[in-house]
Amino acid sequence: LAVLVSGTGRTLANLFDAIDAGRLDARIAVVGADRDSIRGLELAREQGLPTFVVRPGDCDGAEHFSRTVFDAIEAHGAETLVLAGFLRFLPIPEAWLGRVINIHPSLLPAHGGKGCYGERVHRAVLAAGDATTGCTVHYVDNVYDHGPPILQAEVPVLPDDDVERLAARVFEQECHALPEALRRHLA
């Protein structure tokens, strides 16, 4: 696996835990990011993994950014890419369609699309008065939060929920859903 991160690396840490516990038969070959000095890269380095950073501002547009990212991934022999809290739009080359997986903190297609991530999603769920939410693990295509789902996990929205409580329960489901989706993909 290759994993791309943009922040704290909570989802990356979950993958480490799933692999270490034998719940996911996979190896992380490389971790990449779109900016320096983030906790996700530190976590990868603590595990002895190679890392790379491709800054969009250093690239001549989205296609150049994508090509640079996938060149780095391929140089490390990765066969599947996991977007683990990666917040940058990444055009997917034809050869990688069906091999890039994302986890999103809602039941897509609800509360997906450009700008819908993290607390923004949970805030939108609460504002909409949704009775349920959850997470979706899906294949990535070249439209935000659009590719075919691999699995979804539901979470009830409780009357006393705020963004933090709801986010914590959704992330708990993400910790189970992503390794399971990867098992299905790798099978």
Side-chain angles (χ1 to χ4, degrees):
L1 305 176
V3 181
L4 293 182
V5 296
S6 287
T8 64
R10 287 187 325 160
T11 301
L12 175 63
N14 175 51
L15 290 175
F16 291 150
D17 291 347
I19 291 167
D20 290 347
R23 292 181 286 120
L24 177 60
D25 184 18
R27 182 180 63 83
I28 298 175
V30 65
V31 176
D34 56 347
R35 56 195 173 119
D36 297 303
S37 303
I38 59 171
R39 181 69 182 131
L41 289 175
E42 291 174 25
L43 289 174
R45 291 177 187 130
E46 288 168 6
Q47 293 287 322
L49 292 172
T51 63
F52 68 90
V53 175
V54 179
R55 291 172 212 74
D58 294 342
C59 297
D60 186 22
E63 293 301 322
H64 181 225
F65 174 70
S66 173
R67 194 168 48 254
T68 305
V69 167
F70 281 98
D71 284 351
I73 290 167
E74 290 170 356
H76 287 87
E79 298 171 354
T80 300
L81 171 59
V82 179
L83 304 183
F86 189 69
L87 301 179
R88 184 78 50 188
F89 182 73
L90 180 69
I92 309 300
E94 184 76 28
W96 278 86
L97 290 172
R99 297 194 295 149
V100 181
I101 294 171
N102 183 49
I103 185 155
H104 184 80
S106 75
L107 299 174
L108 292 174
H111 309 294
K114 186 175 183 176
C116 293
Y117 59 87
E119 288 186 0
R120 293 177 178 190
V121 172
H122 306 303
R123 214 178 314 291
V125 166
L126 293 170
D130 294 350
T132 60
T133 186
C135 62
T136 303
V137 185
H138 65 98
Y139 289 107
V140 178
D141 59 16
N142 286 305
V143 177
Y144 280 105
D145 299 327
H146 175 264
I150 301 169
L151 70 83
Q152 293 184 309
E154 287 191 15
V155 172
V157 178
L158 304 176
D160 64 341
D161 270 338
D162 61 15
V163 170
E164 292 77 26
R165 281 191 292 274
L166 184 58
R169 287 200 326 283
V170 170
F171 185 71
E172 186 177 311
Q173 288 304 308
E174 289 181 34
C175 289
H176 301 288
L178 182 57
E180 175 58 28
L182 284 167
R183 275 193 299 275
R184 292 179 188 185
H185 168 78
L186 295 170

